[in-house]
């Protein structure tokens, strides 16, 4: 790992504050990053103090005045070069993501590939920031809409996708003409420093103004400061519902904009008409991928009573074949949870489920012994629940899967929609009517609804996000770019008269 860290410019002790091309000194506290793979310290990071934060924001404001004047296709060309730089460093960065966060190596590589893909998407978008033209009710007038950049965009990212979700925001924000300030999770600070080192070279080579891509490091207090800062036009925050509500209140108090991607309590409906061979891998990966630490993790299976026992048996057999261990070993399926606090939350949820009447088809627990010294490796487990127990209403960021029975498709959809969160959902069925009902206005209330695929694995071409306590934000593809811009309606009078609205006349 030392060789990988060196390739990415990671030292034993690192400055954590950057204005893009320059690392700033700071007297903030020291943040130590530990790997959940083995519990060993990786490196330390100097967090951002008040003076360094002030310099970052002032530099970003000044950079925006220049960056917005660069034509969007030219901005896109710079983002294209960023994608190429990420391709060059994909292996090293993917390994660091796996080691610092704990996800499998394949998922680490996949996360960097998402960064590359969004850069490619943003390049095309840079030539498609379209507005509308409209017919005016007044003669010899023309109306149209155009989109302008907002200014400084603050990005607060979570530990589970330490680099990809930041890129979803930043790549689009940049081609739209904004500048960015990134506050990564304090649990994965080194991934952010590595990315900053990679992209800063691209900006230097293109003589981009200092301050277009900024980085600050710290904990909750720094996130609160970013959310409350009136100079930050948009705050995009990914994390828990609790965190998102605090950000939303702070930003709304100053009439700023927020883009929230929060908790998920995602379900897959297994119909009596499902192809169980397709359903099984989708459910297993959805439930145990990233050790259950995805916002799109499958947390509930709503299974038709006629196939319940057969599908449960398939799940139990599949769970018995899972390999849990070092995520850098490509033969392992499941890595560790991020830290001991996550392990305790997992154990607490299991205890609550048992106290509320849940029955475990696959028991959970913490793994011990050789290879599990960090204390962060847990067993993916499966609980059968008779109804919507209180514990099922909450998102536990760990590999706990709840099984529920249903009789009718209406009952299944009601169960799917009965939780406060509304991110991702799926139905496994070969019945066209069921599929269409699930996707209709009377179906899933989530921002993402799939047929015959799982709840995880969203593509960057579609807008990503959810409803209810998931926050309502949309990132990545489709028209998500509009969140990073302000709409302006324009009317041009090319006549020799000035007709007034509503037929009003002045005798002047």
């Amino acid at each position: 790992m030392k060789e990988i860290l060196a390739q990415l410019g990671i030292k034993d002790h690192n400055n954590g504050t950057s204005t893009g091309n320059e690392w700033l000194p700071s007297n903030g506290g020291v943040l130590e990053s530990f790997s959940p793979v083995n519990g060993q310290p990786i490196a330390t990071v100097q967090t951002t103090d008040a003076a360094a934060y002030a310099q970052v924001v002032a530099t970003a404001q000044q950079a925006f005045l220049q960056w917005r004047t660069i034509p969007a296709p030219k901005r896109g060309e710079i983002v294209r070069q960023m994608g190429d730089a990420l391709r060059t460093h994909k292996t090293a960065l993917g390994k660091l993501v796996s080691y610092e966060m704990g996800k499998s190596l394949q998922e680490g590589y996949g996360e960097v590939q998402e960064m590359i893909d969004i850069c490619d998407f943003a390049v095309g978008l840079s030539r498609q920031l379209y507005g509308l033209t409209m017919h005016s009710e007044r003669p010899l007038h023309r109306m149209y809409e155009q989109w302008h950049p907002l200014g400084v965009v603050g990005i607060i990212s979570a530990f589970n996708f330490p680099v990809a979700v930041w890129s979803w925001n930043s790549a689009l924000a940049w081609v739209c003409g904004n500048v960015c300030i990134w506050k990564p999770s304090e649990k994965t600070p080194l991934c952010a420093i590595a990315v900053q080192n990679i992209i800063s070279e691209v900006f230097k080579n293109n003589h981009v103004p200092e301050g277009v891509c900024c980085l600050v490091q710290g904990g909750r207090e720094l996130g609160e400061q970013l959310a409350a800062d009136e100079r930050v036009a948009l705050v995009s925050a990914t994390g828990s519902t609790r965190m998102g509500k605090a950000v939303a209140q702070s930003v709304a108090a100053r009439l700023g904009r927020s883009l929230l991607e929060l908790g998920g309590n995602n379900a897959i409906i297994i119909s009596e008409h499902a192809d169980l061979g397709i359903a099984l891998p989708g459910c297993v990966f959805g439930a145990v991928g990233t050790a259950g630490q995805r916002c799109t993790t499958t947390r509930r299976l709503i299974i038709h009573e006629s196939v319940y026992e057969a599908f449960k048996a398939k799940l139990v057999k599949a769970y018995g074949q899972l390999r849990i261990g070092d995520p850098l070993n490509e033969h392992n399926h499941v890595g560790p949870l991020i830290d001991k606090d996550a392990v305790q939350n997992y154990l607490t949820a299991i205890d609550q489920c048992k106290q509320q009447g849940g029955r475990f088809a696959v028991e959970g627990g913490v793994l011990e012994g050789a290879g599990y010294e960090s204390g962060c490796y847990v067993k993916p487990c499966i609980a059968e629940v008779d109804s919507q127990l209180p514990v099922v209403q909450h998102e536990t960021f760990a590999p706990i899967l709840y099984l529920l029975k249903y009789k009718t498709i209406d009952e299944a959809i009601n169960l799917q929609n009965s939780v406060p969160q509304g991110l991702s959902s799926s139905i496994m069925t070969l019945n066209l009517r069921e599929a269409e009902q699930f996707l209709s206005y009377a179906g899933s209330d989530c921002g993402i609804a799939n047929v015959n695929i799982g709840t995880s694995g969203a593509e960057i071409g579609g807008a990503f996000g959810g409803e209810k306590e998931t926050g309502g934000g949309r990132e990545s593809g489709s028209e998500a770019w509009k969140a990073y811009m302000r709409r302006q309606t324009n009317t041009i009078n090319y006549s020799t008269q000035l007709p007034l609205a509503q037929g009003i006349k002045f005798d002047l």
Side-chain angles (χ1 to χ4, degrees), residues 229-475:
D229 197 326
E230 293 184 354
R231 298 167 294 180
V232 180
L234 169 69
V235 176
S236 176
T238 303
S240 68
T241 297
R242 177 201 57 77
M243 180 275 288
K245 287 180 177 179
V247 169
Q249 291 172 9
S250 182
V251 175
R254 59 180 177 87
L255 297 181
R257 298 190 186 191
S258 59
L259 193 165
L260 303 175
E261 296 292 352
L262 310 176
N265 194 349
N266 315 293
I268 299 178
I269 296 172
I270 309 296
S271 164
E272 60 186 312
H273 307 292
D275 181 333
L276 299 185
I278 290 177
L280 184 64
C283 293
V284 173
F285 172 72
V288 308
T290 324
Q293 297 173 113
R294 291 181 176 224
C295 52
T296 55
T297 289
T298 305
R299 310 207 179 275
R300 298 174 294 143
L301 290 187
I302 304 168
I303 309 171
H304 192 271
E305 60 182 5
S306 66
V307 297
Y308 182 90
E309 292 298 333
F311 195 67
K312 181 181 74 171
K314 289 178 179 291
L315 283 169
V316 171
K317 182 179 179 181
Y319 270 53
Q321 299 171 358
L322 293 174
R323 292 186 294 272
I324 307 167
D326 184 349
L328 293 173
N329 181 340
E330 296 188 25
H331 297 291
N332 289 329
H333 301 116
V334 183
L337 294 179
I338 185 66
D339 56 23
K340 296 287 185 63
D341 289 340
V343 173
Q344 186 55 54
N345 290 336
Y346 159 85
L347 294 173
T348 299
I350 289 176
D351 287 342
Q352 289 176 347
C353 184
K354 290 179 178 178
Q355 292 169 11
Q356 295 167 16
R359 305 172 306 280
F360 279 80
V362 176
E363 291 286 344
V366 180
L367 293 169
E368 299 176 344
Y372 304 126
E373 291 85 358
S374 70
C376 294
Y377 292 88
V378 302
K379 301 175 185 177
C381 57
I382 300 175
E384 298 181 82
V385 293
D386 294 328
S387 61
Q388 289 288 64
L389 304 181
V391 69
V392 182
Q393 294 287 307
H394 302 285
E395 177 189 42
T396 301
F397 231 49
I400 304 174
L401 180 63
Y402 301 106
L403 307 187
L404 301 95
K405 283 184 186 177
Y406 79 92
K407 292 183 179 181
T408 69
I409 186 62
D410 290 336
E411 179 188 1
I413 291 173
N414 287 337
L415 283 171
Q416 142 68 38
N417 294 342
S418 65
V419 296
Q421 308 84 1
L423 179 53
S424 187
S425 59
S426 298
I427 186 170
M428 298 291 181
T429 183
L430 300 180
N431 184 297
L432 180 61
R433 288 178 175 172
E434 286 186 337
E436 290 294 340
Q437 181 178 348
F438 181 74
L439 300 178
S440 75
Y441 58 85
S444 170
D445 64 0
C446 294
I448 299 170
N450 299 324
V451 177
N452 292 329
I453 64 170
T455 57
S456 289
E459 298 183 31
I460 60 97
F464 180 89
E467 303 301 326
K468 301 190 295 188
E469 286 194 357
T470 303
R474 292 298 185 274
E475 297 169 334

Side-chain angles (χ1 to χ4, degrees), residues 75-91:
R75 297 193 295 258
E77 164 58 21
I78 295 170
V79 172
R80 183 195 67 76
Q81 295 175 37
M82 285 174 46
D84 287 345
L86 290 167
R87 285 180 173 90
T88 300
H89 293 88
K90 178 179 177 179
T91 298

Side-chain angles (χ1 to χ4, degrees), residues 462-504:
F464 180 89
E467 303 301 326
K468 301 190 295 188
E469 286 194 357
T470 303
R474 292 298 185 274
E475 297 169 334
S476 192
S478 185
E479 293 187 336
W481 62 271
K482 292 181 178 179
Y484 307 91
M485 304 195 83
R486 59 182 176 87
R487 187 197 309 252
Q488 185 180 82
T489 302
N490 306 115
T491 304
I492 300 172
N493 176 8
Y494 58 94
S495 74
T496 59
Q497 305 295 321
L498 182 59
L500 302 177
Q502 291 85 43
I504 297 173

